[in-house]
Amino acid sequence: MSETKICPECGQAEQVEKVSTIYLLGMGLKREQGQAMRPWLSEMPQVELKALGKRLSPPSAGRGSPVRPLHPDLVVATFSLVIPIFLAGIWNTQPGMRLPAVLVLAAFYGLYLWKRKAILKRFERQKAEQKAAAQRIQSGIARWMKLYYCAEDDVVFAPGGEAIPADQMPGYLLENQT
Ligand SMILES: [Zn+2]
């Protein structure tokens, strides 16, 4: 059994359990037998325990987590490796398309060089935003690991901290980070 923690809301410890433990129990990823489990948890129907575990789940990047952006120069370099093959094909089979093909390529590279600074700036910004988001989730999970839940008041709290309504936990974990 984990160390007893006192809920700052009701001053009791009987209905308190670690948030991560409830989450794992709810997901069926952890089994605690008999005395090891708090009475209020062992008496809870599995359906309710599952619902509670879901409410107390850790912050995650979500399903639509964006793909790591590729450096624009790398994209252009890769493109440049294949383009001679296409160009050679046009050169040999469609003599009339030689000039238009070269002009289109020249326009593409010209446009890229002209806009490169802005494109790189946007890339760096995207990279920084992704990194910041990943760090926020990571420190959110670290905070989540330290939280306790009190069933009496439906609040979560960090030892020595204030009580937060369980439904406000996601916002608490990701915002007001120091
Ligand atoms: Zn309480």
Side-chain angles (χ1 to χ4, degrees):
M1 200 188 284
S2 48
E3 199 186 329
T4 306
K5 297 289 174 194
I6 307 291
C7 167
E9 192 75 16
C10 60
Q12 308 282 316
E14 283 104 81
Q15 304 227 47
V16 171
E17 183 52 274
K18 210 159 190 193
V19 163
S20 54
T21 301
I22 298 170
Y23 173 70
L24 292 176
L25 286 169
M27 296 295 125
L29 294 171
K30 186 175 176 162
R31 292 244 159 268
E32 278 191 315
Q33 262 111 41
Q35 307 150 312
M37 204 153 152
R38 307 254 165 170
W40 71 269
L41 265 175
S42 59
E43 284 156 16
M44 189 181 268
Q46 184 61 32
V47 189
E48 263 180 60
L49 188 59
K50 197 175 169 179
L52 180 61
K54 212 168 184 174
R55 281 178 67 215
L56 297 174
S57 49
S60 69
R63 267 181 294 169
S65 74
V67 194
R68 240 185 129 84
L70 287 169
H71 193 287
D73 281 351
L74 187 69
V75 176
V76 172
T78 310
F79 172 74
S80 302
L81 287 176
V82 241
I83 209 66
I85 301 164
F86 286 100
L87 202 58
I90 289 169
W91 213 261
N92 296 328
T93 59
Q94 293 168 278
M97 290 300 285
R98 283 175 187 173
L99 187 62
V102 169
L103 287 178
V104 164
L105 273 182
F108 168 77
Y109 283 108
L111 193 69
Y112 182 69
L113 286 178
W114 181 44
K115 290 278 179 196
R116 186 171 172 272
K117 223 172 172 175
I119 291 168
L120 288 188
K121 217 172 182 175
R122 202 183 59 183
F123 165 73
E124 293 299 339
R125 203 185 55 224
Q126 281 176 342
K127 217 170 65 171
E129 277 167 10
Q130 267 192 17
K131 200 175 161 190
Q135 274 172 350
R136 255 189 28 225
I137 287 165
Q138 223 170 53
S139 64
I141 291 170
R143 291 168 96 182
W144 177 82
M145 298 287 293
K146 294 179 193 145
L147 287 184
Y148 287 79
Y149 173 76
C150 176
E152 176 72 26
D153 312 291
D154 195 37
V155 295
V156 296
F157 61 94
E162 53 178 334
I164 296 134
D167 289 324
Q168 286 172 26
M169 186 190 74
Y172 161 78
L173 289 173
L174 294 179
E175 287 147 31
N176 319 312
Q177 286 188 4
T178 43

Coordinates of all heavy atoms in Angstrom, one line a residue, residues 38-124:
R38 N -7.3 -0.5 -1.4 CA -8.2 0.3 -0.4 C -9.6 -0.2 -0.5 O -10.1 -0.5 -1.6 CB -8.2 1.8 -0.8 CG -6.8 2.3 -1.0 CD -6.5 3.2 0.1 NE -5.0 3.5 0.2 CZ -4.5 4.4 1.0 NH1 -5.2 5.1 1.7 NH2 -3.2 4.5 1.0
P39 N -10.3 -0.3 0.7 CA -11.7 -0.8 0.7 C -12.6 -0.1 -0.3 O -13.3 -0.7 -1.1 CB -12.1 -0.6 2.1 CG -10.9 -0.5 2.9 CD -9.8 0.0 2.0
W40 N -12.5 1.2 -0.4 CA -13.4 2.0 -1.3 C -13.2 1.6 -2.7 O -14.1 1.7 -3.6 CB -13.3 3.5 -1.0 CG -12.1 4.1 -1.5 CD1 -10.9 4.3 -0.8 CD2 -11.8 4.7 -2.8 NE1 -10.0 5.0 -1.5 CE2 -10.5 5.3 -2.8 CE3 -12.6 4.9 -3.9 CZ2 -9.9 5.9 -3.8 CZ3 -12.0 5.5 -5.0 CH2 -10.7 6.0 -5.0
L41 N -11.9 1.2 -3.0 CA -11.6 0.9 -4.4 C -12.0 -0.6 -4.7 O -12.5 -0.9 -5.8 CB -10.1 1.0 -4.7 CG -9.6 2.3 -5.3 CD1 -8.1 2.4 -5.3 CD2 -10.2 2.6 -6.7
S42 N -11.8 -1.5 -3.8 CA -12.1 -2.9 -4.0 C -13.6 -3.1 -4.0 O -14.1 -4.0 -4.7 CB -11.4 -3.8 -2.9 OG -11.9 -3.4 -1.7
E43 N -14.4 -2.2 -3.4 CA -15.8 -2.3 -3.4 C -16.4 -1.7 -4.6 O -17.6 -1.8 -4.9 CB -16.4 -1.7 -2.1 CG -16.2 -2.5 -0.9 CD -16.3 -1.7 0.4 OE1 -16.7 -0.5 0.3 OE2 -15.8 -2.2 1.4
M44 N -15.7 -0.9 -5.4 CA -16.2 -0.2 -6.5 C -16.4 -1.2 -7.7 O -15.5 -2.0 -8.0 CB -15.2 0.9 -6.9 CG -15.8 1.8 -8.0 SD -14.5 3.1 -8.4 CE -15.0 4.4 -7.2
P45 N -17.6 -1.1 -8.3 CA -17.8 -2.0 -9.5 C -16.8 -1.7 -10.6 O -16.4 -0.5 -10.7 CB -19.2 -1.6 -10.0 CG -19.9 -0.9 -8.8 CD -18.7 -0.3 -8.0
Q46 N -16.4 -2.7 -11.3 CA -15.3 -2.6 -12.3 C -15.7 -1.5 -13.4 O -14.8 -0.7 -13.8 CB -15.1 -3.9 -13.0 CG -13.9 -3.9 -14.0 CD -12.6 -3.5 -13.4 OE1 -12.3 -3.8 -12.3 NE2 -11.7 -2.8 -14.2
V47 N -17.0 -1.4 -13.7 CA -17.4 -0.4 -14.7 C -17.2 1.0 -14.2 O -16.7 1.9 -14.9 CB -19.0 -0.5 -15.0 CG1 -19.4 0.4 -16.1 CG2 -19.3 -2.0 -15.2
E48 N -17.5 1.2 -12.9 CA -17.2 2.6 -12.3 C -15.7 2.9 -12.2 O -15.3 4.0 -12.4 CB -17.8 2.6 -10.9 CG -19.2 3.2 -10.8 CD -19.7 3.2 -9.4 OE1 -19.1 3.9 -8.6 OE2 -20.8 2.6 -9.2
L49 N -15.0 1.8 -11.8 CA -13.6 2.0 -11.7 C -12.9 2.3 -13.0 O -12.1 3.2 -13.1 CB -13.0 0.7 -11.2 CG -11.5 0.7 -10.8 CD1 -11.2 1.7 -9.7 CD2 -11.1 -0.7 -10.3
K50 N -13.5 1.7 -14.1 CA -13.0 2.0 -15.4 C -13.3 3.4 -15.8 O -12.4 4.1 -16.4 CB -13.6 1.0 -16.4 CG -12.9 0.9 -17.7 CD -13.6 -0.1 -18.6 CE -13.0 0.0 -20.0 NZ -13.6 -1.0 -20.9
A51 N -14.5 3.9 -15.5 CA -14.9 5.3 -15.8 C -14.0 6.3 -15.1 O -13.6 7.3 -15.6 CB -16.4 5.5 -15.5
L52 N -13.8 5.9 -13.8 CA -13.0 6.8 -13.0 C -11.5 6.9 -13.5 O -10.9 8.0 -13.6 CB -13.0 6.4 -11.5 CG -12.2 7.2 -10.5 CD1 -12.7 8.6 -10.5 CD2 -12.2 6.6 -9.1
G53 N -11.0 5.7 -13.8 CA -9.6 5.7 -14.4 C -9.5 6.5 -15.7 O -8.5 7.2 -15.9
K54 N -10.6 6.5 -16.4 CA -10.6 7.2 -17.7 C -10.6 8.7 -17.4 O -9.9 9.5 -18.1 CB -11.9 6.8 -18.5 CG -11.7 6.9 -20.0 CD -12.8 6.2 -20.7 CE -12.6 6.2 -22.2 NZ -13.6 5.4 -22.8
R55 N -11.4 9.1 -16.4 CA -11.4 10.6 -16.1 C -10.1 11.0 -15.5 O -9.7 12.2 -15.6 CB -12.5 10.8 -15.0 CG -13.9 10.8 -15.5 CD -14.8 11.0 -14.3 NE -14.7 12.3 -13.7 CZ -14.8 12.5 -12.4 NH1 -15.1 11.5 -11.6 NH2 -14.7 13.7 -11.9
L56 N -9.3 10.1 -15.0 CA -8.0 10.5 -14.3 C -6.8 10.1 -15.2 O -5.7 10.0 -14.7 CB -7.9 9.8 -13.0 CG -8.9 10.2 -11.9 CD1 -8.8 9.3 -10.7 CD2 -8.8 11.6 -11.5
S57 N -7.1 9.9 -16.5 CA -6.0 9.5 -17.4 C -4.9 10.6 -17.6 O -5.3 11.8 -17.5 CB -6.5 9.0 -18.7 OG -7.4 9.9 -19.3
P58 N -3.7 10.2 -17.8 CA -2.6 11.2 -18.0 C -2.7 12.0 -19.2 O -3.4 11.6 -20.2 CB -1.3 10.3 -18.0 CG -1.8 9.0 -18.5 CD -3.2 8.9 -18.0
P59 N -2.1 13.2 -19.3 CA -2.1 14.0 -20.5 C -1.4 13.2 -21.6 O -0.4 12.5 -21.4 CB -1.3 15.2 -20.2 CG -0.8 15.1 -18.8 CD -1.3 13.8 -18.2
S60 N -2.0 13.3 -22.8 CA -1.3 12.6 -24.0 C -1.3 13.5 -25.2 O -2.1 14.5 -25.3 CB -2.0 11.3 -24.3 OG -3.3 11.5 -24.8
A61 N -0.5 13.1 -26.1 CA -0.4 14.0 -27.3 C -1.7 13.8 -28.2 O -1.9 14.6 -29.1 CB 0.8 13.5 -28.2
G62 N -2.5 12.8 -27.9 CA -3.7 12.7 -28.7 C -3.4 11.9 -30.0 O -2.2 11.6 -30.3
R63 N -4.5 11.5 -30.6 CA -4.3 10.6 -31.8 C -3.6 11.4 -33.0 O -2.8 10.8 -33.7 CB -5.6 10.0 -32.2 CG -5.9 8.7 -31.6 CD -7.2 8.1 -32.0 NE -8.3 8.9 -31.5 CZ -9.6 8.8 -31.9 NH1 -9.9 7.9 -32.9 NH2 -10.5 9.5 -31.4
G64 N -4.1 12.6 -33.1 CA -3.6 13.4 -34.3 C -2.2 14.1 -34.1 O -2.0 15.2 -34.5
S65 N -1.3 13.4 -33.4 CA -0.1 14.0 -33.1 C 0.7 14.2 -34.4 O 0.8 13.3 -35.2 CB 0.8 13.2 -32.1 OG 1.3 12.1 -32.8
P66 N 1.1 15.5 -34.7 CA 1.7 15.8 -36.0 C 3.0 15.1 -36.3 O 3.8 14.7 -35.4 CB 1.9 17.3 -35.9 CG 2.0 17.6 -34.4 CD 1.2 16.5 -33.7
V67 N 3.2 14.9 -37.5 CA 4.5 14.3 -38.0 C 5.6 15.3 -37.8 O 5.4 16.5 -38.0 CB 4.4 13.9 -39.5 CG1 5.5 12.9 -39.9 CG2 3.0 13.2 -39.7
R68 N 6.8 14.8 -37.5 CA 7.9 15.7 -37.4 C 8.2 16.4 -38.7 O 8.3 15.7 -39.7 CB 9.1 14.8 -37.0 CG 9.8 15.2 -35.8 CD 11.1 14.3 -35.7 NE 12.2 15.1 -35.4 CZ 12.5 15.5 -34.1 NH1 11.8 15.1 -33.1 NH2 13.6 16.2 -33.9
P69 N 8.3 17.7 -38.7 CA 8.5 18.4 -40.0 C 9.9 18.1 -40.5 O 10.8 18.0 -39.8 CB 8.3 19.9 -39.7 CG 8.5 20.0 -38.2 CD 8.1 18.6 -37.6
L70 N 10.0 18.0 -41.9 CA 11.3 17.8 -42.5 C 11.9 19.1 -42.8 O 11.2 20.1 -43.2 CB 11.1 17.0 -43.8 CG 10.8 15.5 -43.7 CD1 10.4 14.9 -45.0 CD2 12.0 14.7 -43.1
H71 N 13.2 19.2 -42.8 CA 13.9 20.4 -43.1 C 13.6 20.7 -44.6 O 13.9 19.8 -45.4 CB 15.4 20.3 -42.8 CG 16.1 21.6 -42.9 ND1 16.3 22.3 -44.0 CD2 16.5 22.4 -41.9 CE1 16.9 23.4 -43.8 NE2 17.1 23.5 -42.4
P72 N 13.2 21.9 -44.9 CA 12.8 22.2 -46.3 C 14.0 22.0 -47.3 O 13.8 21.5 -48.4 CB 12.5 23.7 -46.3 CG 12.1 24.0 -44.9 CD 12.9 23.0 -44.1
D73 N 15.2 22.2 -46.9 CA 16.4 22.0 -47.8 C 16.5 20.5 -48.1 O 16.9 20.1 -49.2 CB 17.7 22.5 -47.1 CG 17.8 24.0 -47.2 OD1 17.1 24.6 -47.9 OD2 18.7 24.5 -46.5
L74 N 16.2 19.7 -47.1 CA 16.3 18.2 -47.3 C 15.2 17.8 -48.3 O 15.5 16.9 -49.2 CB 16.0 17.5 -46.0 CG 16.3 16.0 -45.9 CD1 17.7 15.7 -46.1 CD2 15.7 15.4 -44.7
V75 N 14.0 18.4 -48.2 CA 13.0 18.1 -49.2 C 13.4 18.4 -50.6 O 13.3 17.6 -51.5 CB 11.7 18.8 -48.8 CG1 10.6 18.5 -49.8 CG2 11.2 18.4 -47.4
V76 N 14.0 19.6 -50.7 CA 14.4 20.1 -52.1 C 15.6 19.2 -52.6 O 15.6 18.9 -53.8 CB 14.8 21.6 -52.0 CG1 15.4 22.0 -53.3 CG2 13.6 22.4 -51.7
A77 N 16.5 18.8 -51.7 CA 17.6 18.0 -52.1 C 17.1 16.6 -52.6 O 17.6 16.1 -53.6 CB 18.6 17.8 -50.9
T78 N 16.2 16.1 -51.9 CA 15.6 14.8 -52.3 C 15.0 14.9 -53.7 O 15.1 14.1 -54.5 CB 14.6 14.3 -51.3 OG1 15.1 14.4 -50.0 CG2 14.1 12.9 -51.5
F79 N 14.2 16.0 -53.8 CA 13.6 16.3 -55.1 C 14.6 16.4 -56.2 O 14.4 15.9 -57.3 CB 12.8 17.6 -54.9 CG 12.2 18.1 -56.2 CD1 11.1 17.5 -56.8 CD2 12.7 19.3 -56.8 CE1 10.5 18.1 -58.0 CE2 12.2 19.8 -58.0 CZ 11.1 19.2 -58.6
S80 N 15.7 17.0 -55.9 CA 16.8 17.3 -56.9 C 17.5 16.0 -57.3 O 18.0 15.9 -58.4 CB 17.8 18.2 -56.3 OG 17.2 19.4 -56.0
L81 N 17.4 15.0 -56.5 CA 18.0 13.7 -56.8 C 17.2 12.9 -57.8 O 17.7 12.1 -58.6 CB 18.1 12.8 -55.5 CG 19.2 13.2 -54.5 CD1 19.2 12.3 -53.3 CD2 20.6 13.2 -55.2
V82 N 15.9 13.1 -57.8 CA 15.0 12.4 -58.7 C 14.8 13.1 -60.0 O 14.5 12.5 -61.1 CB 13.6 12.1 -58.1 CG1 13.4 10.6 -58.1 CG2 13.4 12.7 -56.8
I83 N 14.9 14.4 -59.9 CA 14.5 15.2 -61.1 C 15.3 14.9 -62.4 O 14.8 14.9 -63.5 CB 14.5 16.8 -60.7 CG1 13.4 17.5 -61.6 CG2 15.8 17.4 -60.8 CD1 12.0 17.1 -61.3
P84 N 16.6 14.6 -62.3 CA 17.4 14.3 -63.5 C 16.8 13.2 -64.3 O 16.8 13.1 -65.5 CB 18.8 14.0 -63.0 CG 18.9 14.7 -61.7 CD 17.5 14.7 -61.1
I85 N 16.3 12.2 -63.6 CA 15.7 11.0 -64.2 C 14.5 11.4 -65.1 O 14.4 11.0 -66.2 CB 15.2 10.0 -63.1 CG1 16.5 9.6 -62.3 CG2 14.6 8.8 -63.8 CD1 16.1 8.9 -61.0
F86 N 13.6 12.3 -64.5 CA 12.4 12.8 -65.2 C 12.9 13.6 -66.4 O 12.4 13.5 -67.5 CB 11.5 13.5 -64.3 CG 10.8 12.7 -63.4 CD1 11.2 12.5 -62.1 CD2 9.6 12.0 -63.8 CE1 10.5 11.7 -61.2 CE2 8.9 11.2 -62.9 CZ 9.4 11.0 -61.6
L87 N 13.9 14.5 -66.1 CA 14.3 15.4 -67.1 C 14.9 14.6 -68.3 O 14.7 15.0 -69.5 CB 15.4 16.3 -66.5 CG 15.6 17.7 -67.2 CD1 14.3 18.5 -67.3 CD2 16.7 18.5 -66.5
A88 N 15.7 13.6 -68.0 CA 16.3 12.8 -69.1 C 15.2 12.1 -69.9 O 15.4 12.0 -71.1 CB 17.2 11.7 -68.4
G89 N 14.2 11.7 -69.3 CA 13.1 11.0 -70.0 C 12.4 12.0 -71.0 O 12.2 11.7 -72.1
I90 N 12.2 13.2 -70.5 CA 11.6 14.2 -71.3 C 12.5 14.6 -72.5 O 12.1 14.7 -73.7 CB 11.2 15.5 -70.5 CG1 10.0 15.2 -69.6 CG2 10.9 16.7 -71.4 CD1 9.8 16.3 -68.5
W91 N 13.8 14.7 -72.1 CA 14.8 15.1 -73.1 C 14.9 14.1 -74.3 O 15.0 14.5 -75.5 CB 16.2 15.1 -72.4 CG 17.1 16.2 -73.0 CD1 18.1 16.0 -73.9 CD2 17.1 17.5 -72.7 NE1 18.7 17.2 -74.2 CE2 18.1 18.1 -73.4 CE3 16.3 18.3 -71.8 CZ2 18.4 19.5 -73.4 CZ3 16.6 19.7 -71.8 CH2 17.6 20.3 -72.6
N92 N 14.7 12.8 -74.0 CA 14.9 11.8 -75.0 C 13.6 11.5 -75.8 O 13.6 11.1 -77.0 CB 15.4 10.5 -74.4 CG 16.8 10.7 -73.8 OD1 17.6 11.4 -74.3 ND2 17.0 10.0 -72.7
T93 N 12.5 11.7 -75.1 CA 11.2 11.3 -75.8 C 10.3 12.5 -76.2 O 9.5 12.3 -77.1 CB 10.4 10.4 -74.8 OG1 10.1 11.2 -73.6 CG2 11.1 9.1 -74.5
Q94 N 10.5 13.6 -75.6 CA 9.6 14.8 -76.0 C 10.5 16.0 -76.2 O 10.5 16.9 -75.3 CB 8.6 15.0 -74.9 CG 7.5 13.9 -74.7 CD 6.7 14.1 -73.5 OE1 7.2 13.7 -72.4 NE2 5.6 14.7 -73.6
P95 N 11.1 16.1 -77.3 CA 12.0 17.3 -77.6 C 11.3 18.6 -77.5 O 11.9 19.6 -77.0 CB 12.5 17.0 -79.0 CG 12.3 15.6 -79.3 CD 11.1 15.2 -78.5
G96 N 10.0 18.6 -77.8 CA 9.3 19.9 -77.7 C 9.1 20.4 -76.3 O 8.7 21.5 -76.1
M97 N 9.2 19.5 -75.3 CA 9.0 19.8 -73.9 C 10.3 20.2 -73.2 O 10.2 20.5 -72.0 CB 8.3 18.6 -73.2 CG 6.9 18.4 -73.6 SD 5.8 19.8 -73.4 CE 5.6 19.7 -71.6
R98 N 11.4 20.1 -73.9 CA 12.7 20.4 -73.3 C 12.7 21.8 -72.6 O 12.9 21.9 -71.4 CB 13.8 20.3 -74.3 CG 14.2 18.9 -74.6 CD 15.2 18.9 -75.7 NE 15.5 17.5 -76.1 CZ 16.3 17.2 -77.1 NH1 16.9 18.2 -77.8 NH2 16.5 16.0 -77.5
L99 N 12.4 22.8 -73.4 CA 12.4 24.2 -72.9 C 11.4 24.4 -71.8 O 11.8 24.9 -70.7 CB 12.2 25.2 -74.0 CG 12.4 26.7 -73.7 CD1 13.8 26.9 -73.1 CD2 12.1 27.6 -74.8
P100 N 10.1 24.0 -72.0 CA 9.1 24.2 -70.9 C 9.6 23.5 -69.6 O 9.4 24.1 -68.5 CB 7.8 23.6 -71.4 CG 8.0 23.7 -72.9 CD 9.5 23.5 -73.2
A101 N 10.1 22.3 -69.7 CA 10.6 21.6 -68.5 C 11.7 22.3 -67.8 O 11.6 22.5 -66.6 CB 11.0 20.2 -68.9
V102 N 12.6 22.8 -68.5 CA 13.7 23.6 -67.9 C 13.2 24.9 -67.3 O 13.7 25.2 -66.2 CB 14.8 23.9 -69.0 CG1 15.8 24.9 -68.5 CG2 15.5 22.6 -69.4
L103 N 12.3 25.5 -68.0 CA 11.7 26.8 -67.4 C 11.0 26.5 -66.1 O 11.1 27.3 -65.2 CB 10.8 27.4 -68.4 CG 11.5 28.1 -69.6 CD1 10.5 28.7 -70.6 CD2 12.5 29.2 -69.2
V104 N 10.2 25.4 -66.1 CA 9.4 25.1 -64.9 C 10.4 24.8 -63.7 O 10.2 25.3 -62.6 CB 8.5 23.9 -65.1 CG1 8.0 23.3 -63.8 CG2 7.3 24.3 -66.0
L105 N 11.5 24.1 -64.0 CA 12.5 23.8 -63.0 C 13.2 25.0 -62.5 O 13.3 25.2 -61.3 CB 13.5 22.8 -63.5 CG 13.2 21.3 -63.4 CD1 14.3 20.5 -63.9 CD2 12.9 21.0 -61.9
A106 N 13.6 25.9 -63.5 CA 14.2 27.1 -63.1 C 13.3 28.0 -62.2 O 13.8 28.6 -61.2 CB 14.6 27.9 -64.4
A107 N 12.0 28.0 -62.6 CA 11.1 28.8 -61.8 C 10.9 28.2 -60.4 O 10.9 29.0 -59.4 CB 9.7 28.8 -62.5
F108 N 10.9 26.9 -60.3 CA 10.8 26.3 -59.0 C 12.0 26.6 -58.1 O 11.8 27.1 -57.0 CB 10.7 24.8 -59.2 CG 10.8 24.0 -57.8 CD1 9.8 24.0 -56.9 CD2 12.0 23.4 -57.5 CE1 9.9 23.4 -55.7 CE2 12.2 22.8 -56.3 CZ 11.1 22.7 -55.4
Y109 N 13.2 26.4 -58.6 CA 14.4 26.7 -57.8 C 14.5 28.2 -57.5 O 14.9 28.6 -56.4 CB 15.6 26.2 -58.5 CG 15.8 24.7 -58.4 CD1 15.6 23.8 -59.5 CD2 16.1 24.1 -57.2 CE1 15.7 22.5 -59.4 CE2 16.2 22.7 -57.1 CZ 16.0 21.9 -58.2 OH 16.1 20.5 -58.1
G110 N 14.2 29.0 -58.5 CA 14.2 30.4 -58.3 C 13.3 30.9 -57.1 O 13.6 31.6 -56.2
L111 N 12.0 30.3 -57.2 CA 11.0 30.6 -56.2 C 11.5 30.1 -54.8 O 11.3 30.8 -53.8 CB 9.7 30.0 -56.6 CG 8.5 30.4 -55.8 CD1 8.1 31.9 -56.2 CD2 7.3 29.5 -56.1
Y112 N 12.1 28.9 -54.8 CA 12.5 28.4 -53.5 C 13.6 29.3 -52.9 O 13.6 29.6 -51.7 CB 13.0 27.0 -53.7 CG 13.4 26.4 -52.3 CD1 12.5 26.1 -51.4 CD2 14.8 26.1 -52.0 CE1 12.8 25.6 -50.1 CE2 15.1 25.6 -50.8 CZ 14.2 25.4 -49.8 OH 14.5 24.9 -48.6
L113 N 14.6 29.7 -53.7 CA 15.7 30.5 -53.2 C 15.2 31.8 -52.8 O 15.6 32.4 -51.7 CB 16.8 30.7 -54.3 CG 17.6 29.5 -54.6 CD1 18.6 29.7 -55.7 CD2 18.4 29.0 -53.3
W114 N 14.2 32.3 -53.5 CA 13.6 33.7 -53.2 C 12.9 33.6 -51.8 O 13.0 34.5 -51.0 CB 12.7 34.1 -54.3 CG 12.1 35.4 -54.1 CD1 12.7 36.6 -53.6 CD2 10.7 35.8 -54.3 NE1 11.8 37.6 -53.6 CE2 10.6 37.2 -54.0 CE3 9.6 35.1 -54.8 CZ2 9.4 37.8 -54.1 CZ3 8.4 35.8 -54.9 CH2 8.3 37.1 -54.5
K115 N 12.1 32.5 -51.6 CA 11.3 32.4 -50.5 C 11.9 31.6 -49.3 O 11.3 31.4 -48.3 CB 9.9 31.7 -50.8 CG 9.0 32.5 -51.7 CD 8.2 33.5 -50.9 CE 7.3 34.3 -51.7 NZ 6.8 35.5 -51.0
R116 N 13.1 31.1 -49.6 CA 13.8 30.2 -48.6 C 13.8 30.7 -47.2 O 13.5 30.0 -46.2 CB 15.2 29.9 -49.1 CG 15.9 28.8 -48.3 CD 17.2 28.3 -48.9 NE 17.9 27.5 -48.0 CZ 18.7 27.9 -47.1 NH1 19.0 29.1 -46.9 NH2 19.3 27.0 -46.3
K117 N 14.1 32.0 -47.0 CA 14.3 32.5 -45.7 C 12.9 32.4 -44.9 O 12.9 32.0 -43.8 CB 14.7 34.0 -45.8 CG 15.7 34.4 -44.8 CD 16.2 35.8 -45.1 CE 17.1 36.3 -44.0 NZ 17.7 37.6 -44.3
A118 N 11.8 32.8 -45.6 CA 10.5 32.7 -45.0 C 10.1 31.3 -44.7 O 9.5 30.9 -43.7 CB 9.5 33.4 -45.9
I119 N 10.5 30.4 -45.7 CA 10.1 29.0 -45.5 C 10.9 28.4 -44.3 O 10.3 27.7 -43.5 CB 10.4 28.2 -46.8 CG1 9.5 28.6 -47.9 CG2 10.3 26.7 -46.6 CD1 9.9 28.1 -49.3
L120 N 12.2 28.7 -44.2 CA 13.0 28.2 -43.1 C 12.5 28.7 -41.7 O 12.5 28.0 -40.7 CB 14.4 28.6 -43.3 CG 15.2 27.8 -44.4 CD1 16.7 28.1 -44.3 CD2 15.0 26.3 -44.2
K121 N 12.0 30.0 -41.8 CA 11.6 30.6 -40.5 C 10.3 29.8 -40.0 O 10.2 29.6 -38.9 CB 11.2 32.1 -40.8 CG 11.5 33.0 -39.7 CD 11.3 34.4 -40.2 CE 11.6 35.4 -39.1 NZ 11.5 36.8 -39.6
R122 N 9.4 29.5 -41.0 CA 8.2 28.8 -40.6 C 8.5 27.4 -40.1 O 7.9 27.0 -39.2 CB 7.3 28.7 -41.9 CG 5.8 28.5 -41.5 CD 5.0 28.4 -42.7 NE 5.4 27.2 -43.5 CZ 4.8 26.9 -44.7 NH1 3.9 27.6 -45.2 NH2 5.3 25.9 -45.3
F123 N 9.5 26.8 -40.8 CA 9.9 25.5 -40.3 C 10.4 25.5 -38.9 O 10.1 24.6 -38.1 CB 11.0 24.9 -41.3 CG 11.7 23.7 -40.8 CD1 11.1 22.5 -40.7 CD2 13.1 23.9 -40.4 CE1 11.8 21.4 -40.2 CE2 13.8 22.8 -39.9 CZ 13.1 21.5 -39.8
E124 N 11.3 26.5 -38.6 CA 11.9 26.6 -37.3 C 10.8 26.8 -36.2 O 10.8 26.3 -35.1 CB 12.9 27.7 -37.2 CG 14.2 27.4 -38.0 CD 15.0 26.2 -37.6 OE1 14.8 25.8 -36.4 OE2 15.7 25.7 -38.4

